[in-house]
Amino acid sequence: MAGKTEWDDQMIRLGHMKAPEPTVTEEDLIEMIENAAKAYSREPTREEKLEKSTLEELDELEDEEEDEVLDRYRQKRIQEMKEAAVKNRYGKVLDIKAPEWKHQVTEAPKDLYVVVHLYKSWKPECQIVGQHLDQMANKHKGVKFLRAISDETIPNYPDKNVPTILVYKNGDIQCQMIGLKQMGGKDNSYVSLEAFEFQLAKLSNAFETDLDRSVLDANRQTKFSRKGKTDRWSDSDSDLDL
């Protein structure tokens, strides 16, 4: 928009001034509202109608559309329903015992991420992680979240190593974290939900998150182990053989 004077116009063209913000008059506002109302109330196109139709609504269009067209949109709806079912198939943390490990973890469906929490119920740190995982499981329903009592699942597993998080995919460990500090905490006494979620997403790729590194303490050094990496935990007891 032009300036108030010819001098302003010249300064704007040379980049020495910013053009003033456009002023919306009452007439402009009325016109914008009327145009929006027209766009909202207009009849959808044939393609838009088909794109939004459910399977039942597609059946009702059999007299209006060719079978080939309807079959294409039916297949699309069915595929969308399957994808939605996969994304929402879990939603909570499941308890497992040692005999169920193979079926629930290492033989889980291909490309499914499985997050396992090894815990002892009497440890406050495990209680913190458990509460956070309950919220993450409800949020990331396409990921299987499990929990198992540590020494009942892995004989003689050290209490000092819980809470432990193991992330599996296609039967292989993708990531392991031992203690709250490795899970994003400032130390081993506490970790926030946001820091834990960011750390788990970053190290395992099990799910996407909008969180960034600002949720972590910038001065904290995080050690972790990932598949394909040579980094190992400093404590020899933390190497797992499952």
Side-chain angles (χ1 to χ4, degrees), residues 62-77:
E62 289 182 348
D63 295 335
E64 303 176 25
E65 297 289 344
E66 296 180 1
D67 291 342
E68 182 179 350
V69 173
L70 292 175
D71 286 342
R72 185 168 70 250
Y73 279 97
R74 285 191 184 102
Q75 292 303 316
K76 187 174 182 180
R77 287 297 92 75

Side-chain angles (χ1 to χ4, degrees), residues 144-162:
K144 181 191 282 189
F145 287 85
L146 305 173
R147 64 187 172 201
I149 298 174
S150 56
D151 55 1
E152 292 182 7
T153 306
I154 306 173
N156 302 316
Y157 192 72
D159 287 349
K160 65 180 179 180
N161 283 357
V162 296

